[in-house]
Amino acid sequence: MNPLKLSRRDFLTYAGISSSGLLLGCSSIISNSSKVKILPPENNATQQLNIFVAIKPDNSIEIVSHRSEMGQGSKTGIPQIVADELECSWDNVHVIQGKGNKEYGDQNTDGSSSIRKFYDKLREMGASARTMLEQAAADYWKISIDDVYAKDNKVFNKITGNSVSYGDLAELASKQPVPDIKTLNYKSADNFKYIGKSVPIVDLDDILTGKTVYGIDVDLPDMLIASIERCPVLHGQVKSFDATEALKVPGVVEVIQMPPTPETVVYSPLAGVAVLATNTWAAQEGRKALLVEWDLGKNKEHDSTIAFTTFKDNLANKPQRVAGRGDVVKGFSEASKVIEAQYQLPYLAHAPMEPPMATAWFHDGICDVWACVQDPQSVMANAASMTKLPVDIFNVQPTLLGGAFGRKSKTDFANEAVYLANITKKPVKVVWSREDDVRSGYYHAGAVQTLKAGLNNKNEITTWAQKAAYPTIASTFNSKKNTPQDFELSLGFGDLPYDIDNILMEKAEAETPVRIGWMRSVCNIQHAFALNCFVDEVAHAANVPTDQMILKTLGKDRDLDPKEAFDFNFTNYDEKLERHPYSVARYRGVLEALLAKTPIDETLPKGQGWGIAVHRSFVSYVAVATKVEVINQRLTVKEIHTAIDCGLAINPDRIKSQMEGAMIFGMSIALMGKINIKKGAVVQSNFHDYPVTRMNQTPVIVVHLVNPKNNAPGGVGEPGVPPVAPSIVNAVFAATGERYRELPLNQYLTI
Amino acid sequence: MLELNINNEIHQVDAPDNMPILWVLRDLLNKKGTKFGCGIGQCGACTVHINGQAMRACITPVVVAKNAKITTIEGVDEKGQHPIQIAWKENNVPQCGYCQSGQIMSALTLLETNKNPSDDDINNHMSGNICRCGTYPRIKQAIKQAAAVLANNEGDK
């Protein structure tokens, strides 16, 4: 078998890119050829114009997608942006999955950031390469660059009308100096050819014929497959193990103890024992035959049900101030009506269809890694840290990701493969089972929040107090951290859009019994849930329609600066407020746009109801309206309508598909998602006890794109999820009069 | 040695009788279009046809397929020109794509027996196939579209 088969799309073309270029710079690679030949090409050697763009003499255009593809569509959207400025033909574009390389900038494909953080840079890369092609043609014709223009994979001579193809210009263009960024010309939005167009995803044909390569599909000669029995309790360690029976299983080659789990986990392997075999089945059978004795460690008595009670005690008795304004004590004492409620969400697992998978191979002084990772640079850094080897020996190629949702940003599984490959000196693929995935994850933290509102006699909210307690993601990187951090509270808590005189925001401690990570939409899930359920409760108490209560409480259209408003250290998804303001007008606008198109005021039969929710996350704005039916305690979600304002829409169809998927992901959270911890171990194991939404539960979904041509591009992959669960819970209240404040709903209703 | 007919090709394979077909296909015969999702027949990612029946390859021992015909995603139409593949393309169904081999293999057996499936027919038949990305609305649409094309083709004969 050929180890290069992963390079079906010339994955390895970029292996040679050195660190000589500037960050995201346009370092051209010098050709060996001494004389320039325009026609015909001597061979089809790739000519590199910058780290994102290469052109071959046969006119094919290679564009790098430097971010991982997990279904969100950026492997298509990124090249769309480059191709537009490059003025190339989409049919000629060949997308190359970028390897781990810091010259690309941040490759951690999370935070719904691939487009919003790289839009300008990608246009620059396209425009720069196009300028090099234009200059090459101008030199060839001995005319000014002002007398040429690029279009459809060719450069045209304005004087003679002649043209020369990009393929023919490639080598000459690659020798051009890199243009000064300040001199680049960009297209006007009116002339966009690919930006704003629903281009089909680039892997579509391969997916439908079974030819794609995911992490699990990597194969190398003499490769061993590892199945790892990990300690069921975090910070437990292997006391002893007996591999006698495991080694008798045909195909099992070796049994290796994993290193102990460190106090601060980061992306280290978990303590355990790996069974290595010539095929996956043998590795899994061998693992079943292992005898492992554990020292379960400090978390062995942890019970998540008891822990939630502690979170509540901490909120009540030991709150810590986060931010605020005015005087809430006075505000509540003067209020004519005070409403208070507490909301609880469980731990959740990501459960991507492809569990974590990684292959590593040490050879010739380097270590190749192929893995379904969201961040190849993190694999490099963490493997180097674990092995004490130089970072630049790690050559990391992301495969396609069979879903990820944040799980595959944590590269523990790649570290496992590196660890085992370093010992065996053979290629090792670590294959996670579904049980491994559900039981050894980086969980979305279970959360408790208390909200309290004081209303005046005009049913206006004058005073607001909110408190949150949940294990912090920071604990994964610093075991001492034990309260929600500002970067987490910036996800829909400290950036409260309501214009209220007296506000107090507090947090409390929550201990960390499992590895905590970020899952699609992160803390926006619990924050948007509590906020939108609570405002619905307040609206009902005041006998005001919920949308009117929201719109009134938002106050005047303005750009919210949470630092100015409540002295909260708002991180704004790592964007400047100048580029991505918190626009109350857009928050209001997306809700109004949705309600204008959704029949929430229709007369419904008994047992049906509509619920709404709206949220800003990842600098985009999403509103959701859901219709449910509850008959004989059986809940059916009948329709979900949603509107998103994500700024400039690069690929409208992929935005719609992300929104459809987000509604279904949000339904899993609302209806069924729950991870329990008992005796320190995760109770659930597979889709039978950690169910996710299936087709028969999926309602009609209607998606609206609001203002798809205005404003800078915002996030798309995550913003759809947060408003879904509160819209469902609010709809259930409208249908039944029952208010459920703890998810998932299948503890109360048949789903 | 076990003799297997996969996509109308005969393969000899040295596998224990109880090894699931999934791992025989993937690890021993390098046919990686069929995916692993759960290992307990809960998600349908590994769906293949055995004598025309949709089966979960992750829990079906390979000995079951002795003297039977196995069809995998690679055997549907390698150029992607089967009406179901075309319908999947026209509706831009996949997101991450990982479950789609199994979705297509399940949908094909529905269309074998039901020329004009209703929403309920599709829900009932497809609810064993999980898509975590949430492509269900488009899968449903693509199945209806493929059914119409297949019915038309039938009419032409």
Side-chain angles (χ1 to χ4, degrees), chain B residues 91-152:
Chain B
N91 288 281
N92 288 323
V93 171
Q95 288 182 31
C96 85
Y98 190 78
C99 74
Q100 299 296 343
S101 304
Q103 302 282 359
I104 288 173
M105 297 313 287
S106 285
L108 279 170
T109 59
L110 171 65
L111 296 177
E112 278 294 310
T113 54
N114 188 334
K115 303 297 173 200
N116 184 21
S118 66
D119 280 358
D120 280 349
D121 294 339
I122 297 172
N123 283 340
N124 289 336
H125 190 88
M126 298 299 294
S127 64
N129 284 77
I130 295 175
C131 173
R132 184 70 159 142
C133 295
T135 62
Y136 302 129
R138 293 179 189 229
I139 290 173
K140 199 178 276 185
Q141 192 56 40
I143 289 174
K144 288 180 187 171
Q145 189 175 319
V149 170
L150 288 165
N152 238 342

Side-chain angles (χ1 to χ4, degrees), chain B residues 41-60:
Chain B
Q42 281 280 318
C43 79
C46 65
T47 306
V48 298
H49 297 175
I50 298 174
N51 286 341
Q53 297 286 312
M55 304 276 276
R56 306 303 189 215
C58 72
I59 50 169
T60 307

Side-chain angles (χ1 to χ4, degrees), chain A residues 293-313:
Chain A
E293 205 186 331
W294 306 105
D295 172 1
L296 293 174
K298 65 182 181 186
N299 288 318
K300 68 181 175 188
E301 296 304 329
H302 187 93
D303 185 310
S304 51
T305 309
I306 296 168
F308 278 115
T309 310
T310 312
F311 296 176
K312 289 172 191 170
D313 288 346

